[in-house]
Amino acid sequence: MTQYRAWRIAAFAVTLLVLVAVVAGVVAAAAALTY
Amino acid sequence: MEILIIAGCLALVAVGLPSAAIAYVAARQAWRCVRLYLTTLAAALGIPDPSTAALVQSRDRSAPGQEPAFEHYLRRQAWLELSAVRTTALATGRAEFRREWNRVQDRRLGEPWRFPAAPRRLVLRAGLVPGTAVAVILLAVTCVAQAAVGVVLILLGLVMIGALRAVEAAIMRGRRITAHCPTCFRPVSYPSYRCPGCRARHQRISPGFYGLLHRRCGCGRMSLPVPLLLGSHRMAAHCADPGCGVRLPAKAGAIPEVVLPVLGGPRAGRTRLVTALVLTLRDSTEKSALALTPADQVTAARVADLAEDVAGGASTLPTPAEPARAYSFYLTGPARRRRLLHVLDTGGTVSLDDHTDPRRYLRLADTFLFVIDPLAIGPVWAALGPERQAELSARRGSRPPKDEFDAVTQKSQELGASLRTSRLAAVVAKADLLAGTDLDGVPGDDETIERWLEDMGQDHLTRCMRHLFGEVRFFTAAATAGGDSAAETLQSLARWLLAEPDWGRRTASSRR
């Protein structure tokens, strides 16, 4: 079923980006607190 | 001193090793949770295999009030899928957590731990809890961010919908484009279209919940362009009114529209005049002339049928009183600008039938054509000899032109037509039939035709016309086709009827 295919791939990509951004944010915050 | 160093090393090992193990378990648990969410999400979204995605919306889109198209992804499907992913990932994650929590009790699953069971359990559980907590927080933030992105996209979509509709309306207004059904004459702001693949009828194709620029039919095969300006007019359009639904001419709603009602009593000669007018314009070879081509098959077939009768001098069949489809033509002027012309032959009973709502076209027109039957004028008829009367009695209208005119104008005003801003072409038909009689022939000039009508006792008719309409012009037309002078007369009539109205009048008419 190819219905919504592009939107679904975009949704998955956005989720990955958000996750990476959140992890990067947490790491950056931890680093800032540590130093 | 050595003892102290050894004790310190032992303490470091005693604290450091379990801490490292706990950190490892926590990181592993966090990664497992994230991986579980991502794999569940990927499966629900059909990545990489589209067959794993669930199609929540039914292919059968025939429920009342529902368009036979898939809704936009952000309208419902995205939220259903995210909700399903959360539920599935939560249930699976809870089961995995429980299994890990009790894992050390199973002696067969001791690896890779080398500690005794109790410390092992302590380390494992101490790592599971913070790892899970970190993952839950991370995924909760991710879900909130997903929802926020979705909401932002929906808001952007709503803005886009409004903007697209506004731009489309502005362009159509700027180009003076309107669309009306040629049968029921209701305004068709958004025609309905049939899917070329499955013939499903899409009632209202406009930017909205089913798509901004395109929508996908429920059959899944066809992607239909949404705004008219993107090419919807290239598909077969139908009247959006469920009670009508007739096919509209191609390009309806994409080019400006002109409505020309042809009014007059039964047997006044309306159909013959319209046919002669159409044939003259169609066959004209003048470069500066207006050119007409049928806009749909119905018009082409009707004109072809009528052309034979008119060319052969035979009587045309009476136009039925029931609502009829307009003759629709593409009208190309000298500047190559195309317009869609709807010519309404009113069936001769517009004044008598108060129940046919298609008469609403009277409100739309800003130019009217009224056909005067000279044979229905008492003094004219009386001036004919008995033989001529017997010959022409079958072609004589039953009511005087003034009665027909009063009924038509009264009906128009009841419907809200503003005649003061409209133009009227009054055409004395069958002028050639009066040649050779005791009467002076009907003159060919506007003022002299009016004077001739007044001489024939129709001064009350001409006064009424001048009083009611903003602009009136008189013409003559022959009952039989042929001849250069007849063609020239019809050309001048067509030029006057189909001239581009000025802005003031058009704006006034569009307000009606």
Side-chain angles (χ1 to χ4, degrees), chain B residues 31-371:
Chain B
W31 165 242
R32 278 180 175 174
C33 289
V34 170
R35 193 182 59 184
L36 171 68
Y37 180 78
L38 286 177
T39 50
T40 310
L41 180 69
L45 297 178
I47 297 171
D49 181 9
S51 64
T52 60
L55 180 65
V56 178
Q57 289 184 35
S58 165
R59 280 172 181 273
D60 179 16
R61 317 286 300 158
S62 57
Q66 195 174 45
E67 288 279 89
F70 286 106
E71 289 175 347
H72 193 275
Y73 184 65
L74 293 175
R75 160 95 165 140
R76 206 185 305 259
Q77 184 77 19
W79 308 105
L80 289 173
E81 285 177 352
L82 288 180
S83 172
V85 167
R86 272 196 295 273
T87 308
T88 309
L90 211 59
T92 312
R94 199 176 292 153
E96 285 194 3
F97 180 87
R98 202 171 292 128
R99 195 168 61 243
E100 284 292 306
W101 185 262
N102 299 322
R103 183 177 166 195
V104 182
Q105 290 176 349
D106 187 345
R107 289 186 178 278
R108 287 173 297 178
L109 293 174
E111 64 79 32
W113 311 101
R114 296 289 181 266
F115 297 105
R120 263 189 282 163
R121 190 182 303 130
L122 181 70
V123 167
L124 184 65
R125 289 180 176 176
L128 276 180
V129 172
T132 306
V134 166
V136 166
I137 292 169
L138 193 64
L139 291 176
V141 171
T142 303
C143 288
V144 170
Q146 278 176 331
V149 170
V151 169
V152 167
L153 286 177
I154 286 174
L155 292 176
L156 277 177
L158 291 174
V159 172
M160 281 281 288
I161 288 171
L164 280 172
R165 289 184 180 181
V167 167
E168 191 172 38
I171 290 176
M172 292 180 79
R173 187 181 289 262
R175 291 186 188 171
R176 290 181 277 165
I177 294 172
T178 54
H180 291 88
C181 171
T183 297
C184 71
F185 265 82
R186 288 184 175 87
V188 185
S189 54
Y190 288 98
S192 61
Y193 295 91
R194 289 199 183 278
C195 168
C198 67
R199 310 295 300 157
R201 183 173 160 164
H202 293 253
Q203 189 67 24
R204 184 187 165 94
I205 296 190
S206 67
F209 293 133
Y210 295 95
L212 297 181
L213 302 177
H214 291 270
R215 65 160 60 180
R216 185 168 288 272
C217 180
C219 70
R221 285 178 292 173
M222 298 307 296
S223 180
L224 312 175
V226 166
L228 281 173
L229 298 169
L230 276 187
S232 299
H233 59 272
R234 293 195 202 102
M235 300 187 295
H238 296 258
C239 176
D241 184 67
C244 180
V246 300
R247 185 165 175 173
L248 304 179
K251 289 195 174 295
I255 55 177
E257 196 180 51
V258 184
V259 178
L260 177 64
V262 183
L263 310 171
R267 285 181 285 181
R270 295 175 330 278
T271 306
R272 183 173 289 274
L273 175 62
V274 168
T275 310
L277 202 60
V278 168
L279 295 180
T280 303
L281 293 181
R282 190 193 66 182
D283 300 337
S284 172
T285 53
E286 281 183 47
K287 283 187 178 175
S288 60
L290 295 162
L292 280 190
T293 47
D296 53 39
Q297 292 178 345
V298 179
T299 300
R302 287 165 70 187
V303 168
D305 288 345
L306 288 168
E308 288 180 16
D309 292 342
V310 171
S315 296
T316 56
L317 290 173
T319 310
E322 66 263 20
R325 186 185 174 99
Y327 296 81
S328 299
F329 301 95
Y330 295 124
L331 175 69
T332 311
R336 311 298 301 164
R337 189 157 178 255
R338 290 181 95 188
R339 286 178 285 164
L340 183 60
L341 170 68
H342 296 300
V343 179
L344 261 297
D345 187 353
T346 55
T349 53
V350 64
S351 55
L352 306 177
D353 189 350
D354 289 335
H355 304 291
T356 47
D357 60 353
R359 304 303 180 205
R360 58 176 65 88
Y361 60 78
L362 291 171
R363 266 186 310 188
L364 307 173
D366 49 26
T367 302
F368 294 78
L369 195 161
F370 183 74
V371 181

Side-chain angles (χ1 to χ4, degrees), chain A residues 1-24 26, chain B residues 38 41-42 45-48 50 53-54 57 59 70-74 77 81 138 141-142 145-146 216:
Chain A
M1 182 62 202
T2 57
Q3 182 67 19
Y4 304 134
R5 182 83 176 138
W7 275 104
R8 283 168 162 159
I9 291 172
F12 190 71
V14 165
T15 304
L16 281 181
L17 279 176
V18 166
L19 258 174
V20 169
V22 170
V23 171
V26 169
Chain B
L38 286 177
L41 180 69
L45 297 178
I47 297 171
Q57 289 184 35
R59 280 172 181 273
F70 286 106
E71 289 175 347
H72 193 275
Y73 184 65
L74 293 175
Q77 184 77 19
E81 285 177 352
L138 193 64
V141 171
T142 303
Q146 278 176 331
R216 185 168 288 272

